[in-house]
Amino acid sequence: MKTLDNLIMTPEQARESVRLTFERQARCRVERRLAESLAAATNLANGTALVMWLGNGDEANNLEALVTWVGMMLKQLGLMANRRAIPLLLAELERTLWAWEDQAWQ
């Protein structure tokens, strides 16, 4: 059982928590920008057709699903969230969409 002493952070722990929060927020912003770039490059349609294919299934639209997909692919491929990842992500996205299209026609 946690005591009140365990719930109180030291100033150092609080700074580290804030730093990690800022890093996570910055990474999320970059991942969203990467997804927006990929959406523009592929003329990603508005709507929800790709939510189940690219996302977790709870995203509101294709772009949100693509943001989820970008985050997963960055981790899976061991890439940094920066513009140098765009060509690799684009190639992987095209492979993923082609696979989906192939399955849709079978």
Side-chain angles (χ1 to χ4, degrees), residues 10-23:
T10 65
E12 184 65 31
Q13 290 170 324
R15 281 190 291 277
E16 181 65 10
S17 177
V18 169
R19 185 187 66 78
L20 291 173
T21 298
F22 285 153
E23 281 182 10

Side-chain angles (χ1 to χ4, degrees), residues 3 18 30 33 36 38 41-42 57 63 66 71 90:
T3 65
V18 169
V30 173
R33 289 181 182 136
E36 290 170 348
L38 293 173
T42 59
L63 180 59
L66 187 56
L90 183 58

